[in-house]
Amino acid sequence: MNNYKLRRSVAMGVSLVAVLGIVAGCTSNGSESEPSASSKTSEPAKPITLTYWAPLNPVIGAVVSDLGQIDMYKEMEKRTQIKMQFKHPAANQVDEQFKLMIASHDLPDVIETNWLTYPGSPTKAIQDGVIIKLNDLIDKYAPNLKKIMDENPEIKKQMRTDNGDIFSFPFLTVTKSRVFSGPVIRKDWLDELGLSMPETMDDWEKTLRAFKEKKGAKAPYTFNYGQLGVVYGFLEAFGITNDFYVDNGKIKYGPAEPAYKDFIATFSRWYKEGLIDPDFATNDSKMLDANITGDKSGAILGFVGGSIGRYIDAMKSKEPNVNLVAAQYPVLKKGDEPKFIRREWDYGTSGGAAAITTANKNPIETVKYLDYFYGKEGHLLSTFGIEGQTYKMENGLPTYTDLIMKNPDKLPVASALAKYTRATAPAPGYSDDRYQEQYYAYPQQKEALNLWAKYSNNALKVLIPPISNSPDEATELSKIANDLKTYTTEMTTKFIMGGESLDQYDKFVGQLKKLNVDRAIELKQAALDRYNKRQ
């Protein structure tokens, strides 16, 4: 949970919770507040069947072959008299089948995807006649989402295009924990070796060397080639990232900045000294797993669920004292605060946004259906399921039953949730701390959420918000960005592994210029400036 704000109000997530009363879910006396009339969806005059295209999340796909098999959607049909007929692309052909669907114009009624990545921007999707503009429909028929937007300007801003069009019913991140990945380290190794939790790059070098020399780790810090294109965790300590970012309101490209050379020099030296994985260029996810579970590595860029929880589960039988915990994003100087943290925006950028297509003959009913998930009743149904079956109210809080937490069919919690709810993947609606607190079983996972969240608001100053380029800009930018990413990843790998001398670094920067990095910065800057002017 991929994926994933609030540039002018670092407390927006908290204020949204206070305004809606949805994450806390309680009245002042601790009891569950009654849903307002606006949270209920009115039934259509007669039953309606709508077609709904959506990728099937792997966790969900492991327990059902169709979202319509989930009890949540069966209950929705009872409440709304609207049956959703789901269409799912093959797991390994999602992009290809999406493009084919758009090209053929053989459209379902609803398409759920990451509309921010639509070729040419969401504006182009409207211009292409693929999806419809939702502004008037939301004003008239979506009271729950409209209330959220009216009371939270940043959410309203992120949901619109530069010309003001609203194009989807998104997944909104409103929880206090908005960072789900970062450095993960073997705390049991640190304790055994008498080492403190590393904070600075110098601390990390000392720690990784100890892992190599005293624990026999062949890949003290393990990562793979694909992570050269996203986040290292270590690169950000140098005050940049390996993509576009914001510096005092100005767009910059990390690899073109002098600090990128400093990072490469450090990682090149670590590579030579055996402090990082010698096979990072060929590693796949299975090799990363084997490195951690096989005691070949003591640190990884990991996730709360997919790394900390999964690795503890896999290792605790043979290593009862294994203790994988989150480490703070590194800094250069002790006392500095990390900035480049993988913080989610309010508008979920990893998918789960549902748009209504031009083929839909029942847009009003569809809007009411989707809006239901932004009210209290619909949110409880989507996130917690059916009361009395998958959750019950305890002290005013929705609490998962043993059907979820101790599933009789021995399903893991994630799989049990996937069978009955849509809580395990982004979908129209919003996030909920009460889900996270129950879903993450290990204290190390809860501690990770708190640790990575500590400085997460710093990211609002440097990460690029969900901006959008015009269709023409997006087409031009897409080619430049792809060329830059390919070349940067290739050369970074060569520099680190010694295939290219750092003496050639100036030529590397020169080639970035030839690949039109300055034009890409110009296009990104124009989009950011327009975003900042949105109302």
Side-chain angles (χ1 to χ4, degrees):
M1 329 187 68
N2 331 212
N3 278 9
Y4 114 91
K5 302 172 185 171
L6 312 177
R7 179 169 297 276
R8 290 179 173 76
S9 176
V10 297
M12 184 66 71
V14 176
S15 66
L16 175 59
V17 172
V19 169
L20 297 179
I22 51 180
V23 176
C26 303
T27 60
S28 58
N29 64 6
S31 61
E32 180 73 8
S33 53
E34 287 296 319
S36 63
S38 64
S39 74
K40 299 179 181 180
T41 179
S42 57
E43 295 183 4
K46 60 180 180 179
I48 293 173
T49 297
L50 299 173
T51 51
Y52 192 122
W53 187 97
L56 198 60
N57 178 275
V59 177
I60 299 175
V63 290
V64 298
S65 59
D66 185 312
L67 286 174
Q69 297 170 353
I70 297 177
D71 282 22
M72 183 210 94
Y73 283 110
K74 296 176 184 177
E75 178 65 20
M76 273 297 288
E77 184 177 350
K78 294 178 184 177
R79 295 184 187 185
T80 66
Q81 295 299 298
I82 294 177
K83 178 179 177 60
M84 284 295 178
Q85 189 176 77
F86 290 95
K87 298 182 176 182
H88 303 299
N92 59 347
Q93 297 178 7
V94 174
D95 291 341
E96 294 83 350
Q97 292 190 27
F98 178 83
K99 292 175 183 177
L100 180 62
M101 175 176 62
I102 300 302
S104 67
H105 217 70
D106 182 14
L107 302 173
D109 294 306
V110 180
I111 298 177
E112 181 182 303
T113 187
N114 181 2
W115 286 101
L116 296 177
T117 63
Y118 183 89
S121 79
T123 298
K124 185 69 161 52
I126 295 173
Q127 293 177 356
D128 288 344
V130 175
I131 60 176
I132 64 174
K133 181 178 173 180
L134 296 172
N135 299 52
D136 291 341
L137 287 166
I138 287 176
D139 277 343
K140 295 177 181 178
Y141 305 109
N144 296 308
L145 183 55
K146 185 177 187 302
K147 184 174 186 288
I148 292 173
M149 294 174 66
D150 288 346
E151 295 176 349
N152 299 274
E154 280 295 326
I155 288 179
K156 184 176 182 179
K157 186 176 180 178
Q158 292 172 31
M159 284 182 57
R160 292 173 177 265
T161 63
D162 291 331
N163 61 3
D165 294 343
I166 303 172
F167 53 90
S168 72
F169 285 81
F171 175 72
L172 299 174
T173 303
V174 299
T175 45
K176 63 183 179 183
S177 300
R178 299 184 181 214
V179 185
F180 302 96
S181 63
V184 174
I185 196 167
R186 289 285 298 267
K187 179 67 163 55
D188 51 316
W189 284 12
L190 293 178
D191 294 342
E192 179 186 337
L193 299 174
L195 297 171
S196 301
M197 182 66 69
E199 299 177 21
T200 67
M201 289 295 288
D202 288 343
D203 292 341
W204 273 96
E205 183 169 331
K206 175 183 176 182
T207 298
L208 296 177
R209 183 168 286 111
F211 286 176
K212 175 192 174 186
E213 295 175 352
K214 298 181 180 180
K215 293 300 297 181
K218 299 184 183 303
Y221 171 63
T222 188
F223 62 103
N224 64 24
Y225 181 86
Q227 290 173 333
L228 288 168
V230 283
V231 173
Y232 281 100
F234 292 102
L235 168 60
E236 291 75 20
F238 292 84
I240 57 173
T241 183
N242 58 350
D243 204 340
F244 299 96
Y245 66 98
V246 181
D247 182 9
N248 291 318
K250 299 299 181 183
I251 297 288
K252 292 185 177 180
Y253 185 65
E257 296 297 313
Y260 198 74
K261 183 178 182 180
D262 297 334
F263 159 73
I264 287 179
T266 298
F267 253 48
S268 176
R269 178 167 54 80
W270 284 10
Y271 178 83
K272 291 175 183 175
E273 295 179 12
L275 304 185
I276 61 177
D277 197 326
D279 300 317
F280 75 86
T282 57
N283 278 340
D284 58 19
S285 60
K286 292 182 179 178
M287 294 175 73
L288 297 182
D289 291 349
N291 284 342
I292 292 293
T293 59
D295 292 339
K296 296 178 182 178
S297 301
I300 190 173
L301 178 65
F303 296 84
V304 179
S307 301
I308 296 177
R310 188 161 60 88
Y311 290 144
I312 292 176
D313 281 340
M315 299 170 69
K316 62 184 179 182
S317 60
K318 68 171 184 176
E319 296 187 61
N321 296 322
V322 64
N323 190 12
L324 275 159
V325 304
Q328 190 54 267
Y329 281 73
V331 293
L332 286 183
K333 299 178 182 178
K334 191 173 182 63
D336 286 352
E337 295 182 1
K339 294 181 180 179
F340 290 91
I341 297 169
R342 301 184 76 180
R343 187 189 194 279
E344 297 286 341
W345 293 92
D346 291 324
Y347 181 100
T349 57
S350 57
I356 298 174
T357 75
T358 54
N360 191 310
K361 305 299 184 187
N362 300 280
I364 293 175
E365 290 78 9
T366 307
V367 165
K368 291 179 178 179
Y369 182 100
L370 293 171
D371 182 65
Y372 188 61
F373 296 120
Y374 299 91
K376 294 176 183 177
E377 283 185 348
H379 172 69
L380 284 172
L381 178 62
S382 177
T383 307
F384 296 95
I386 300 172
E387 186 172 5
Q389 179 192 39
T390 54
Y391 81 95
K392 56 186 177 181
M393 299 305 298
E394 293 184 355
N395 299 319
L397 299 176
T399 305
Y400 290 118
T401 65
D402 285 350
L403 184 63
I404 301 298
M405 304 306 294
K406 299 178 182 178
N407 184 265
D409 296 325
K410 307 299 182 184
L411 290 175
V413 172
S415 299
L417 282 170
K419 188 175 181 179
Y420 298 98
T421 75
R422 284 214 66 183
T424 56
Y430 52 85
S431 58
D432 195 318
D433 283 313
R434 300 170 300 180
Y435 152 75
Q436 292 182 12
E437 289 165 0
Q438 296 176 73
Y439 176 66
Y440 296 122
Y442 290 108
Q444 293 95 325
Q445 294 175 295
K446 296 180 174 68
E447 291 164 5
L449 291 173
N450 291 329
L451 180 72
W452 290 331
K454 183 177 181 179
Y455 299 113
S456 65
N457 285 336
N458 289 347
L460 299 173
K461 301 175 183 178
V462 295
L463 298 184
I464 299 176
I467 60 176
S468 61
N469 290 93
S470 70
D472 288 342
E473 289 174 338
T475 300
E476 182 181 4
L477 180 61
S478 176
K479 183 182 186 309
I480 298 174
N482 286 337
D483 289 344
L484 288 172
K485 181 178 179 180
T486 299
Y487 179 68
T488 297
T489 304
E490 175 189 347
M491 291 303 298
T492 301
T493 304
K494 289 182 177 180
F495 282 134
I496 291 173
M497 298 181 72
E500 191 75 57
S501 170
L502 267 180
D503 293 339
Q504 302 299 309
Y505 190 81
D506 289 344
K507 290 184 178 179
F508 163 69
V509 175
Q511 184 61 26
L512 294 178
K513 299 283 188 182
K514 292 179 181 179
L515 292 174
N516 292 320
V517 66
D518 291 335
R519 176 58 176 162
I521 290 172
E522 181 183 345
L523 293 171
K524 289 272 190 180
Q525 187 69 54
L528 178 62
D529 292 342
R530 290 194 300 268
Y531 174 86
N532 288 334
K533 293 177 182 178
R534 290 181 189 175
Q535 298 297 320

